[in-house]
Amino acid sequence: MTAMNINISSSFLPHTDPDASLAFYRDALGFEVRNDVGRGTMRWITVGPAGQPDVSIVLHPPAVDPGITDDERRTIAGMMAKGTYATVILSAPDVDAAFAQVEASGADVVQEPVDQPYGIRDCAFRDPAGNTVRINQQP
């Protein structure tokens, strides 16, 4: 059997206010903007960490797929409002410094840095759309 070489390229997170989400990912997290397509609330914004051009997050309008029913759209909107719809986990070499920088931006703090029993130290925020953004530091 040949070993496969598969990497994570992009992940998608919904936004409800593209300008607010852009400000969070660009200004609070320090991500670079790689693409911004569309206008108004129908924008797909690609961001990613500087120096890592092969890894991106695409911020997109939620539930615009024509195959999604109105009931599913309501469910997604409800889950986003409660902060239970989507999560991304990031890493930093110093989670306390990352926490201080993101907190200083006025971001919604979910969890201050904590040593977890499974071996990492992490913290969490909610982005402007309600997505959970966890930042961890490996031991």
Side-chain angles (χ1 to χ4, degrees):
M1 179 179 214
T2 303
M4 295 192 336
N5 187 9
I6 299 174
N7 297 307
I8 296 173
S9 175
S10 298
S11 184
F12 285 67
L13 292 175
H15 69 65
T16 52
D17 179 337
D19 291 324
S21 290
L22 175 60
F24 176 79
Y25 286 91
R26 181 192 58 212
D27 303 336
L29 294 178
F31 282 6
E32 58 188 23
V33 179
R34 300 187 179 143
N35 206 355
D36 190 342
V37 179
R39 64 181 173 177
T41 59
M42 298 302 286
R43 287 169 59 192
W44 285 255
I45 304 166
T46 304
V47 296
Q52 299 180 45
D54 297 334
V55 180
S56 299
I57 295 174
V58 180
L59 306 168
H60 65 93
V64 294
D65 184 324
I68 295 177
T69 67
D70 289 341
D71 283 345
E72 291 169 329
R73 282 187 180 85
R74 282 189 289 276
T75 298
I76 290 169
M79 291 178 72
M80 287 177 66
K82 293 190 316 188
T84 59
Y85 185 66
T87 299
V88 64
I89 299 177
L90 309 173
S91 65
D94 182 343
V95 75
D96 293 282
F99 176 82
Q101 179 178 335
V102 178
E103 181 186 40
S105 75
D108 182 10
V109 176
V110 174
Q111 175 202 301
E112 294 187 6
V114 171
D115 290 323
Q116 300 290 354
Y118 41 89
I120 63 166
R121 182 168 179 77
D122 71 351
C123 63
F125 297 90
R126 288 219 195 286
D127 78 5
N131 301 305
T132 300
V133 177
R134 299 195 76 80
I135 304 172
N136 69 37
Q137 175 182 332
Q138 297 297 319

